[in-house]
C-alpha cells in the first residue's frame, strides 16, 4: 500500500475520533502540508522524479512549500536537494544558509571556528522570528537550567524556567566525508523550517530552536566533492578512495570526544554548550535505510544518567514508529551499536547532561543513483527490525535526503511535544551531576602537586578544560581517607579455609597546589567517565565491542589520579583555575643544567627547540647534592640560562643547575632527521602519530612508501625512518604490493582542474595503487644495514618481520585472546636501554590484540613454550616430582633445561649450536625493552579475555639489523591523542637513535 492512501485512512481516523470543531490535541498535529500554502511546483516535481519509489518518501518531504521571498536550495545547487550528480562544497552550503539568513528573520548563521586547514565552520539557527529575537534572554534561562547551582538547585525556580524556555536541538552533518548526503538534506530542512506554514512545521518552528552545523568535517567535505567531480569527469574509471579527510584523521574524527584533539570536536562542543542545547544529533550514512542507533545495544556506558537511557528509548522508539507509519521501509533502532564508549562526537551531549543521537541512513558515497543490493544481514527481519530494508532497490541521494529530513522533522516534532519533559530532564541531569558526591560518588579526583610528570599532568588537565570541566587548585595541603581495598576471596583450589584479612582503611596526604576536580559541578559526569576505570566482563553477552573498551585517562597519560570518596576533600581551601599556571624553569646555580627524566614528551620538544645546545643523557642514575636523578637525565650545555629557563617554562620542565658535571657515563641526545612514511592504503592511524609530532613541534619529512623508494641514499638524508601503523591489520603483502595495477586505471591523488582541494598540504601521486614494492623493501633493508633506525608498530612491525629485518622475531595472531582497545599492564625488562629512559617498571599501555611477538636465538625455529604443561614428567614410577626409571639400567641424569622467561630468547643447547650457522650471535639478538605483564596483572581497564596468549610476550623490541636497528611495537604507543604515557617510548628511540646499544647485556649469553 502506498503511503498516500494509508495517510488518507489515518486522517479519516483522526477526523472521526475528533469531535467536530475541536482542534487536535497537542501531539496529534497531523504531519501534512497546509493546503492553503502554495507549493513550488517545479521543485516538487523534481523531488518526485528523483525519489525512486513513493515509499522512499513521506508526506513531510514529498513537496516543497513555495515562498515569494525566501530562495530554495536550487539557487545555489542549480537543482533540488538530493539531485543526482550534485554535491555542494561547504562554501556553497554556507552561501545558501547566508542567503536564507538575509531573506528571513527566522534564520541566523554564526561562525563557530575554523578547521586545521583554516576553513570555516558554521551553525545555523532556525526558529520563529520571536524566538530568534529573544535568543539572549532564552540563553540566560537555559544557562540556569544547565548549571542548577545558579538557582541553588531550586526545583520550583527550575519549573518556572522550564515553562518559559525554548529548547535547542543541535544537528550535525557529514562528519564522515564519504557519507555525503547531509548537507543538501540540511539546506532543504532549514528552508522547510523557515518557510513551511503547515501546523506540523509551525509547531517545531515556534517551539524549538533548531541549530544546524551542515558540514562538520569541512576539509574532508571539500576533498570528497573534488573526488566526486573527478568521478563525474571520468565516469567509466574507478575513482580514488578518500585517503585524507581532515588534516590528520579520517573515520576516527568522530572518536575524538574524549581526547578533544581535533578542532571540529572542540568547535562542536563549544557551540553545543554555548547554546545550552539539549540534543546533539549526528548524521551518518552507512546502514540501510535509517538506523537510529540512539538506543543501541548493551552494554550502556556506565556513567550516563538513567534519565538519559529513558530518553534514548522514548525518542528512538517513537522515531521508528513515526516513519513506519508513513510506510517507509527499513527504519529501526537498537541494532549492533553498543553504547559503551563515550568517544563519539554525539556522545559529547551524553557526557554533558544532554541527549546524544545518531542516524545511519543509506548513502551512495556520492550523488549517483545506483542499484543497491544488500547483504542478508542487512535485509533480514529481526526483533528490532520488523520492517527491514528491501534486498534490492534503485537508490538515490534524494531517497537518502528524504529519510534524513523525515527522521529529523518527526524527531523535532516529538521533541517539541515533550519539550517540558526534556527541559526538566536537562535540569535534573545537571542537578544530579552536582549531587554526585553525596549520591553515588566520588567526591573528587585529585592530581597531586608533586607528580613527577608535571608537564603530562598539565596536558591531561588541559583536556579536562577543553571538556569544560571545572578545575580547582588546593591552596593548602590536605589529608583524605581512602576506602579500604577489599581482599579478594581466593578461588576453589587455593581455598585454605583461612578468612581474608580485614582490610584497614588507608589515607593520603596531598601537598598544597594539588589539583582537585570536584564532582559537585554540572560536568562532573565527563570527568568521572574519563578518569575512572572500565571493566568489560569477558562473560558479557556482547561479544563484539563496537569500539575501545577502555580509556582511563590517568593510566593512558601515566599521571597520578586519585579517586577520592571522602567528602572532606570538598571543604579543602581551593581556588578555581581557568588556565593552568605556568611552571618549570631553572633552579639553582651552576654551569651544567640537568633535567630529571620522567619520560615526559616535552623533553623531545626541548631537544629540537635547543638546536645548538649540547644535550647528553646520563646512562646511570646519579645523585648531586640533594637531588636524585634517574637514568636518562638530560645534561645540557651550550645554552644561556635565560634561554633555557624560558624554554623550560613554556614546556613545564624543571631544570636544576649543577655546580659541576656528574661523574656518570653519558651519550649525546640527538634531534634526528626523520623520514616519516605513510602508505596510500590508509592514513588514519599514522594521522594520530603525525598530530602528536606536530603538537610536540618535532619536524619530519612526510613521504609515501612510493616516494621513499625513489630516494637514492636514505642514510645520507635520514637518521630514523618512522613507519607508523597502517590500519593495524594490513598485511605485509598489501603494504608491499599496494593495489593491483594489472587491471583498472591509475588512481591519482593530485591537484587537477576537477580536484582543486585534493592535495591539501600533504602528499600527492599520479597513481595511488603501487605500494612499497620490492625496491622499497630493499631500501628499508639497506637503510637498517647501514646504521639507520627503522621504527614500526603493529602491522608495520609485522611487515618488518616478514621481510627479514628482525632476525629471531616471529609474530602470531591471537586465537582466543580478546583485548579490544583495552589498557594492559606491561613491564620494563631492560631498564638500561635508552628506549626505556624515564619509565618505571610498570607501564600502562593501550593494546588492541597484539600482535603476539616471540623472540628466539635461532633462525627459522619457533620458540618452544616451556609452560608447566611441558615440564610434567611422563607416566612412570614414583611421585610427580620423583625421577622415572628404566628397568635394567641405572637412571641417567636429565640435563636441566636452561631457564628462560617467556619473553626471552631461549639459550641454544650445545647440540643445537653444533655446526649451526642459524644460531644468532648474542649481539645480534632481539633486545626486549618492554613485555606484557603476567596474565593476572594484564587487565588494567577494559576487556581482557584469554590474556594468557599474550601475557609475558615482548611488547617493545629493539632488534639489531646490520649496523642499524629495527624497533618493533606490539602496543600502539600513539593513539587518538589519549596515550601520552607511551609517547616517550617512540621519542626516546628517536633521540637515542645512534646509542640504542647502550646498556646492552650479552656477557652471560653464548
Ligand atoms: Zn559515519
Amino acid at each position: 500500500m502506498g503511503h498516500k492512501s494509508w495517510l488518507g485512512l489515518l486522517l479519516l481516523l483522526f477526523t472521526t475520533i475528533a469531535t467536530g470543531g475541536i482542534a487536535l490535541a497537542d501531539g496529534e498535529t497531523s504531519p501534512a502540508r497546509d493546503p492553503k500554502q502554495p507549493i513550488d511546483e517545479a521543485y516538487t516535481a523534481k523531488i518526485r522524479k528523483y525519489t525512486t519509489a513513493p515509499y522512499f518518501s513521506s508526506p513531510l518531504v514529498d513537496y516543497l512549500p513555495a515562498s515569494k521571498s525566501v530562495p530554495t536550495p536550487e539557487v545555489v545547487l542549480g537543482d533540488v536537494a538530493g539531485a543526482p550528480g550534485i554535491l555542494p562544497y561547504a562554501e556553497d552550503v554556507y552561501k545558501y544558509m547566508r542567503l536564507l539568513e538575509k531573506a528571513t528573520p527566522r534564520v541566523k548563521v554564526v561562525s563557530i571556528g575554523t578547521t586545521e586547514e583554516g576553513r570555516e565552520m558554521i551553525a545555523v539557527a532556525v526558529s520563529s522570528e520571536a524566538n530568534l529575537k529573544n535568543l539572549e534572554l532564552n540563553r540566560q534561562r537555559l544557562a540556569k537550567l544547565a548549571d542548577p547551582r545558579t538557582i541553588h538547585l531550586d526545583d520550583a525556580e527550575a519549573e518556572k524556567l522550564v515553562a518559559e524556555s525554548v529548547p535547542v536541538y543541535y544537528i550535525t552533518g557529514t562528519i564522515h566525508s564519504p557519507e555525503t548526503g547531509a548537507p543538501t538534506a540540511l539546506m532543504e530542512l532549514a528552508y522547510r523550517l523557515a518557510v513551511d506554514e503547515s501546523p506540523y512545521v509551525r509547531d517545531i518552528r515556534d517551539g524549538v530552536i533548531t541549530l544546524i552545523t551542515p558540514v562538520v568535517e569541512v576539509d574532508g567535505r571539500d576533498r570528497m566533492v573534488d573526488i566526486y567531480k573527478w568521478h563525474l569527469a571520468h565516469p567509466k574509471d574507478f575513482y580514488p578512495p578518500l585517503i585524507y579527510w581532515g588534516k590528520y584523521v579520517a573515520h576516527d574524527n568522530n572518536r575524538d570526544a574524549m581526547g578533544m584533539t581535533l578542532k571540529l570536536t572542540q568547535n562542536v562542543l563549544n557551540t553545543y554548550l554555548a547554546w545550552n542545547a539539549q540534543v546533539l544529533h549526528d548524521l551518518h550514512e552507512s546502514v540501510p535505510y535509517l538506523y537510529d542507533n540512539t538506543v543501541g545495544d548493551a552494554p550502556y556506558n556506565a556513567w550516563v544518567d538513567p534519565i538519559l537511557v529513558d530518553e534514548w528509548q522514548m525518542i528512538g522508539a517513537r522515531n521508528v514508529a513515526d516513519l513506519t507509519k508513513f510506510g517507509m521501509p527499513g527504519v529501526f533502532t537498537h541494532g549492533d551499536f553498543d553504547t559503551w564508549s563515550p568517544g563519539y562526537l554525539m556522545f559529547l551531549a551524553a557526557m554533558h547532561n544532554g541527549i546524544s543521537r545518531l542516524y545511519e541512513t543509506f548513502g551512495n558515497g556520492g550523488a549517483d543513483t545506483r542499484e543497491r543490493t544488500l547483504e542478508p544481514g542487512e535485509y533480514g527481519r529481526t526483533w528490532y527490525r520488523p520492517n527491514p530494508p528491501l534486498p534490492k532497490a534503485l537508490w538515490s541521494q534524494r531517497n537518502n535526503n528524504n529519510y534524513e529530513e523525515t527522521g529529523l522533522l518527526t524527531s523535532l516534532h516529538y521533541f517539541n511535544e515533550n519539550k517540558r519533559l526534556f527541559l526538566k530532564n536537562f535540569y535534573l541531569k545537571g542537578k544530579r551531576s552536582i549531587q554526585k558526591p553525596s549520591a553515588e560518588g566520588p567526591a573528587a579526583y585529585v592530581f597531586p602537586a608533586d607528580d613527577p610528570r608535571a608537564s603530562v599532568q598539565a596536558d591531561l588537565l588541559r583536556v579536562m578544560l577543553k571538556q569544560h570541566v571545572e578545575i580547582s587548585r588546593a591552596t593548602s595541603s590536605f589529608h583524605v581517607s581512602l576506602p579500604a581495598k577489599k581482599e579478594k576471596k581466593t578461588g576453589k583450589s587455593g581455598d585454605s579455609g583461612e578468612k581474608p584479612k580485614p582490610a584497614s582503611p588507608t589515607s593520603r596526604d596531598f601537598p598544597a597546589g594539588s589539583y582537585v576536580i570536584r564532582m559537585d559541578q554540572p560536568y562532573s559526569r565527563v570527568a568521572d567517565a574519563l578518569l575512572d576505570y572500565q571493566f568489560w566482563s569477558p562473560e558479557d553477552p556482547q561479544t563484539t565491542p563496537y569500539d575501545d573498551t577502555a580509556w582511563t585517562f590517568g593510566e593512558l597519560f601515566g599521571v597520578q589520579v586519585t579517586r577520592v570518596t571522602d567528602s572532606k576533600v570538598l571543604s579543602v581551601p581551593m581556588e578555581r583555575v581557568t588556565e593552568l599556571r605556568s611552571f618549570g624553569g631553572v633552579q639553582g646555580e651552576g654551569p651544567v643544567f640537568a633535567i630529571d627524566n620522567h619520560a615526559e614528551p616535552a623533553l623531545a620538544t626541548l631537544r629540537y627547540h635547543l638546536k645548538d645546545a649540547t644535550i647528553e643523557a646520563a646512562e646511570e642514575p646519579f645523585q648531586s647534592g640533594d637531588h636524585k636523578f634517574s637514568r636518562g637525565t638530560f645534561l645540557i650545555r651550550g645554552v644561556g640560562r635565560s634561554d633555557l629557563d624560558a624554554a623550560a617554562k613554556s614546556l613545564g620542565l624543571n631544570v636544576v643547575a649543577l655546580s659541576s658535571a656528574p661523574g656518570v657515563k653519558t651519550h649525546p641526545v640527538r634531534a634526528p632527521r626523520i623520514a616519516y612514511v605513510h602508505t596510500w592504503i590508509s592514513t588514519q592511524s599514522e594521522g594520530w602519530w603525525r598530530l602528536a609530532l606536530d603538537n610536540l613541534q618535532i619536524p619530519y619529512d612526510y613521504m609515501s612508501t612510493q616516494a621513499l623508494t625513489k630516494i637514492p641514499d636514505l642514510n645520507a638524508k635520514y637518521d630514523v625512518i618512522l613507519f607508523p601503523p597502517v590500519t593495524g591489520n594490513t598485511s605485509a603483502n598489501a603494504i608491499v604490493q599496494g593495489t593491483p595495477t594489472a587491471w583498472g586505471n591509475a588512481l591519482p591523488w593530485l591537484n587537477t582542474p576537477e580536484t582543486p582541494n585534493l592535495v591539501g598540504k600533504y602528499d600527492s601521486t599520479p597513481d595511488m595503487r603501487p605500494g612499497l614494492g620490492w625496491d622499497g623493501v630493499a631500501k628499508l633493508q639497506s637503510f637498517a644495514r647501514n646504521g639507520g633506525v627503522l621504527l614500526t608498530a603493529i602491522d608495520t612491525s609485522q611487515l618488518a618481520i616478514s621481510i627479514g629485518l628482525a632476525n629471531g622475531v616471529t609474530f602470531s595472531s591471537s586465537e582466543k585472546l580478546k583485548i579490544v582497545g583495552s589498557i594492559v599492564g606491561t613491564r620494563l625488562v631492560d631498564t638500561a636501554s635508552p628506549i626505556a629512559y624515564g619509565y618505571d617498571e610498570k607501564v600502562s599501555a593501550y593494546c588492541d590484540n597484539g600482535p603476539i611477538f616471540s623472540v628466539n636465538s635461532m633462525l627459522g625455529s619457533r620458540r618452544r613454550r616451556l609452560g608447566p604443561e611441558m615440564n610434567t614428567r611422563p607416566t612412570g614410577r614414583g611421585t610427580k616430582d620423583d625421577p622415572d626409571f628404566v628397568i635394567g639400567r641405572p637412571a641417567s641424569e636429565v640435563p636441566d633445561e636452561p631457564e628462560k622467561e617467556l619473553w626471552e630468547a631461549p639459550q641454544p643447547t650445545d647440540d643445537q649450536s653444533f655446526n649451526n650457522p642459524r644460531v644468532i650471535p648474542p649481539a645480534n639478538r632481539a633486545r626486549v625493552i618492554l613485555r606484557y605483564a603476567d596474565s593476572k596483572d594484564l587487565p588494567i581497564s577494559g576487556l581482557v579475555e584469554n590474556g594468557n596468549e599474550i601475557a609475558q610476550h615482548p611488547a617493545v623490541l629493539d632488534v639489531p639489523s646490520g649496523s642499524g636497528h629495527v624497533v618493533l611495537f606490539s602496543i600502539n604507543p600513539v593513539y587518538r591523542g589519549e596515550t601520552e604515557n607511551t609517547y616517550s617510548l617512540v621519542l626516546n628511540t628517536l633521540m637515542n637513535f645512534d646509542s640504542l646499544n647502550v646498556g646492552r647485556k650479552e656477557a652471560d649469553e653464548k
Side-chain angles (χ1 to χ4, degrees):
M1 186 162 41
H3 67 265
K4 283 200 193 68
S5 50
W6 196 89
L7 183 78
L9 222 109
L10 184 79
L11 285 177
L12 197 75
L13 205 70
F14 273 142
T15 29
T16 317
I17 293 165
T19 44
I22 295 171
L24 293 168
D26 191 25
E28 292 173 3
T29 316
S30 179
R33 75 174 198 89
D34 172 15
K36 283 175 297 205
Q37 184 176 26
I39 61 169
D40 185 324
E41 298 285 354
Y43 197 106
T44 301
K46 281 183 171 166
I47 290 178
R48 291 183 178 165
K49 182 178 162 197
Y50 301 145
T51 301
T52 60
Y55 43 79
F56 292 144
S57 187
S58 75
L60 290 172
V61 298
D62 67 355
Y63 71 96
L64 194 81
S67 165
K68 288 205 176 79
S69 52
V70 182
T72 72
E74 199 167 3
V75 297
V76 166
L77 299 175
D79 204 331
V80 307
I86 291 179
L87 283 188
Y89 287 111
E91 69 177 297
D92 299 325
V93 180
Y94 298 175
K95 188 174 154 196
Y96 176 66
M97 295 300 194
R98 287 185 162 122
L99 284 175
L100 276 183
E101 183 184 34
K102 246 185 221 153
T104 165
R106 294 170 176 174
V107 174
K108 186 177 159 63
V109 179
V110 293
S111 209
I112 61 167
T114 53
T115 66
E116 278 77 6
E117 293 181 14
R119 294 186 177 89
E120 186 190 19
M121 288 177 70
I122 65 165
V124 183
V126 192
S127 197
S128 71
E129 192 173 346
N131 288 342
L132 291 190
K133 217 182 243 170
N134 297 321
L135 264 186
E136 178 51 27
L137 267 178
N138 191 59
R139 194 197 60 76
Q140 289 170 14
R141 281 190 293 263
L142 291 176
K144 287 182 189 164
L145 291 173
D147 185 354
R149 292 173 304 184
T150 56
I151 54 169
H152 313 289
L153 314 190
D154 179 348
D155 294 349
E157 176 67 21
E159 291 282 359
K160 256 187 267 166
L161 290 163
V162 164
E164 292 165 354
S165 299
V166 182
V168 180
Y169 192 110
Y170 188 12
I171 302 163
T172 47
T174 198
I175 185 170
H176 283 168
S177 304
E179 301 165 14
T180 50
T184 48
L186 293 173
M187 288 163 79
E188 193 176 280
L189 180 76
Y191 175 87
R192 290 179 189 283
L193 289 174
V195 165
D196 199 316
E197 294 301 337
S198 71
Y200 194 86
V201 175
R202 260 198 345 247
D203 279 357
I204 300 171
R205 183 165 61 235
D206 294 342
V208 179
I209 295 164
T210 306
L211 192 63
I212 300 168
T213 290
V215 183
V216 173
E217 176 55 276
V218 186
D219 302 331
R221 171 67 178 188
D222 284 4
R223 286 198 179 87
M224 183 63 208
V225 176
D226 274 4
I227 292 274
Y228 186 66
K229 295 211 157 145
W230 192 92
H231 158 63
L232 292 179
H234 308 85
K236 293 206 169 82
D237 287 345
F238 295 113
Y239 53 102
L242 195 68
I243 183 111
Y244 295 91
W245 300 15
K247 180 173 179 180
Y248 294 111
V249 295
H251 189 267
D252 258 10
N253 62 2
N254 81 325
R255 304 295 200 277
D256 184 45
M258 293 189 268
M260 302 287 301
T261 51
L262 304 176
K263 294 252 203 165
L264 61 86
T265 321
Q266 297 163 24
N267 292 339
V268 167
L269 180 62
N270 292 342
T271 306
Y272 178 79
L273 295 181
W275 286 73
N276 300 292
Q278 282 66 53
V279 183
L280 180 58
H281 189 154
D282 198 29
L283 300 179
H284 291 250
E285 299 166 26
S286 69
V287 180
Y289 296 127
L290 191 156
Y291 170 32
D292 176 354
N293 86 0
T294 302
V295 188
D297 196 359
Y300 281 179
N301 178 282
W303 290 265
V304 299
D305 195 312
I307 294 173
L308 171 61
V309 175
D310 178 48
E311 290 172 322
W312 281 341
Q313 318 287 346
M314 287 169 69
I315 290 186
R318 173 62 180 263
N319 212 187
V320 174
D322 278 345
L323 270 68
T324 303
K325 284 180 199 166
F326 291 143
M328 300 173 89
V331 179
F332 63 101
T333 188
H334 289 290
D336 60 5
F337 171 79
D338 71 60
T339 305
W340 176 246
S341 163
Y344 315 100
L345 183 87
M346 83 292 190
F347 234 76
L348 289 170
M351 288 290 111
H352 292 83
N353 303 328
I355 300 171
S356 56
R357 301 202 68 204
L358 189 147
Y359 278 173
E360 296 282 6
T361 59
F362 202 36
N364 281 352
D368 292 4
T369 300
R370 295 201 277 137
E371 185 83 31
R372 299 294 301 270
T373 307
L374 306 185
E375 301 283 331
E378 292 174 310
Y379 62 73
R381 195 154 62 89
T382 180
W383 68 269
Y384 58 78
R385 195 171 49 205
N387 180 5
L390 282 64
K392 204 170 171 180
L394 186 67
W395 192 256
S396 66
Q397 176 169 242
R398 181 66 218 184
N399 293 0
N400 184 27
N401 281 188
N402 290 340
Y403 272 77
E404 289 171 313
E405 287 188 64
T406 304
L408 289 168
L409 283 165
T410 50
S411 292
L412 287 164
H413 196 266
Y414 177 68
F415 181 70
N416 177 57
E417 282 171 11
N418 298 282
K419 67 182 160 202
R420 302 296 160 222
L421 170 73
F422 288 125
L423 279 169
K424 198 173 169 191
N425 283 355
F426 178 64
Y427 160 75
L428 272 177
K429 286 180 282 183
K431 182 179 160 188
R432 282 154 65 99
S433 293
I434 292 163
Q435 291 172 327
K436 186 183 257 298
S438 56
E440 74 273 16
Y445 284 89
V446 179
F447 297 65
D450 53 4
D451 193 319
R453 288 162 60 83
S455 65
V456 186
Q457 181 191 69
D459 287 344
L460 174 45
L461 290 171
R462 277 184 207 108
V463 174
M464 291 296 152
L465 288 176
K466 284 187 201 158
Q467 293 279 7
H468 293 247
V469 168
E470 295 172 4
I471 300 175
S472 305
R473 206 165 164 271
T475 51
S476 66
S477 62
F478 61 98
H479 177 90
V480 295
S481 57
L482 299 175
K485 280 228 168 182
K486 278 188 191 144
E487 293 249 332
K488 270 186 206 160
K489 276 189 191 163
T490 46
K492 280 173 209 153
S493 57
D495 200 351
S496 58
E498 277 176 44
K499 279 183 188 166
K501 283 178 205 156
S504 51
T506 51
S507 64
R508 182 157 172 184
D509 292 304
F510 291 98
S514 293
Y515 287 98
V516 181
I517 296 184
R518 306 172 61 101
M519 290 292 108
D520 56 351
Q521 59 167 305
Y523 302 140
S524 63
R525 187 182 313 284
V526 65
D528 192 22
L530 297 187
L531 298 173
D532 208 344
Y533 286 75
Q534 290 77 47
F535 177 70
W536 183 302
S537 166
E539 271 84 51
D540 197 285
Q542 174 66 267
T543 54
T544 51
Y546 199 85
D547 206 82
D548 291 336
T549 60
W551 49 82
T552 311
F553 267 48
E555 296 287 349
L556 288 177
F557 276 68
V559 164
Q560 296 174 27
V561 179
T562 306
R563 184 178 192 265
V564 177
T565 50
D566 182 354
S567 60
K568 274 204 325 254
V569 69
L570 298 174
S571 43
V572 168
M574 59 180 92
E575 59 194 12
R576 264 289 295 282
V577 289
T578 49
E579 218 178 310
L580 293 183
R581 254 173 22 133
S582 113
F583 59 94
V586 183
Q587 303 150 27
E589 295 299 329
V592 181
F593 303 105
I595 307 179
D596 198 3
N597 197 329
H598 295 288
E600 290 168 275
L603 288 170
T605 309
L606 185 79
R607 171 60 284 191
Y608 277 91
H609 187 80
L610 302 177
K611 279 190 199 74
D612 302 323
T614 303
I615 304 184
E616 292 190 289
E619 295 180 2
E620 297 298 332
F622 65 93
Q623 188 156 358
S624 175
D626 295 340
H627 287 278
K628 278 186 180 149
F629 292 93
S630 55
R631 199 181 250 129
T633 290
F634 273 25
L635 296 166
I636 306 173
R637 288 190 204 80
V639 58
R641 184 188 171 103
S642 61
D643 287 352
L644 180 58
D645 188 59
K649 275 200 174 103
S650 76
L651 295 169
L653 292 170
N654 291 311
V655 185
V656 182
L658 307 178
S659 51
S660 63
V664 64
K665 212 176 159 211
T666 65
H667 66 259
V669 175
R670 311 277 194 198
R673 301 163 300 166
I674 302 168
Y676 183 113
V677 181
H678 72 88
T679 64
W680 288 108
I681 297 167
S682 171
T683 63
Q684 170 152 292
S685 299
E686 66 89 4
W688 290 117
W689 287 56
R690 198 153 31 94
L691 176 59
L693 289 191
D694 285 358
N695 285 342
L696 292 166
Q697 299 168 45
I698 295 175
Y700 52 87
D701 283 356
Y702 186 60
M703 67 187 71
S704 71
T705 45
Q706 294 175 3
L708 170 94
T709 308
K710 298 196 182 90
I711 296 172
D713 183 354
L714 279 166
N715 296 83
K717 285 189 81 171
Y718 301 105
D719 305 308
V720 179
I721 293 177
L722 197 56
F723 198 171
V726 180
T727 58
N729 56 11
T730 302
S731 69
N733 182 49
I735 296 171
V736 174
Q737 305 287 3
T739 306
T741 53
W743 58 82
N745 52 276
L747 300 173
W749 188 264
L750 275 181
N751 266 2
T752 67
E754 294 96 25
T755 56
N757 305 297
L758 197 60
V759 170
K761 295 171 189 133
Y762 319 119
D763 206 352
S764 62
T765 175
D767 190 358
M768 295 166 73
R769 294 176 302 166
L772 178 65
W774 299 111
D775 291 348
V777 168
K779 287 273 178 189
L780 290 179
Q781 278 170 340
S782 71
F783 178 73
R785 193 167 298 149
N786 296 325
V789 172
L790 171 65
L791 190 153
T792 60
I794 315 174
D795 50 10
T796 55
S797 291
Q798 294 179 359
L799 167 81
I801 295 166
S802 302
I803 61 177
L805 292 183
N807 286 333
V809 183
T810 56
F811 68 89
S812 59
S813 308
S814 50
E815 284 164 18
K816 291 180 180 161
L817 173 74
K818 252 186 168 173
I819 297 180
V820 187
S822 314
I823 304 170
V824 299
T826 68
R827 298 288 180 266
L828 219 52
V829 173
D830 196 331
T831 50
S833 164
I835 298 173
Y837 283 169
Y839 284 98
D840 296 329
E841 195 231 336
K842 295 179 178 178
V843 181
S844 301
Y846 172 86
C847 175
D848 196 31
N849 246 24
I852 302 167
F853 292 149
S854 295
V855 294
N856 212 328
S857 40
M858 278 185 296
L859 290 179
S861 74
R862 282 203 167 263
R863 190 186 199 296
R864 280 192 295 158
R865 191 168 171 128
L866 297 173
E869 70 278 6
M870 296 292 292
N871 288 331
T872 53
R873 47 154 295 186
T875 305
R877 74 149 283 275
T879 65
K880 182 169 167 283
D881 301 320
D882 285 335
D884 199 2
F885 68 2
V886 178
I887 302 292
R889 74 165 211 231
S892 51
E893 194 77 0
V894 177
D896 282 341
E897 280 276 357
E899 292 223 351
K900 282 279 187 179
E901 302 286 359
L902 190 57
W903 58 89
E904 293 173 317
Q907 214 134 290
T909 61
D910 291 346
D911 235 47
Q912 286 168 333
S913 298
F914 177 70
N915 190 33
N916 189 349
R918 304 181 70 79
V919 171
I920 305 166
N924 296 69
R925 286 181 200 161
R927 184 176 182 187
V928 184
I929 312 301
L930 208 66
R931 67 166 175 94
Y932 286 101
D934 299 355
S935 215
K936 67 176 178 28
D937 299 322
L938 206 52
I940 289 183
S941 199
L943 171 64
V944 177
E945 189 178 352
N946 298 310
N948 57 313
E949 271 189 56
I950 202 167
Q952 300 191 335
H953 280 264
V956 180
L957 284 166
D958 168 14
V959 190
S961 192
S963 56
H965 293 255
V966 178
V967 177
L968 310 169
F969 283 78
S970 162
I971 57 168
N972 188 350
V974 186
Y975 178 74
R976 289 185 180 171
E978 296 172 6
T979 59
E980 221 171 298
N981 189 33
T982 43
Y983 283 8
S984 286
L985 294 166
V986 174
L987 302 171
N988 283 343
T989 307
L990 296 175
M991 292 186 289
N992 297 283
F993 74 91
D994 58 350
S995 303
L996 289 182
N997 281 335
V998 163
R1000 232 194 119 99
K1001 285 186 229 89
E1002 47 206 36
D1004 58 334
E1005 304 183 37
K1006 51 175 166 175

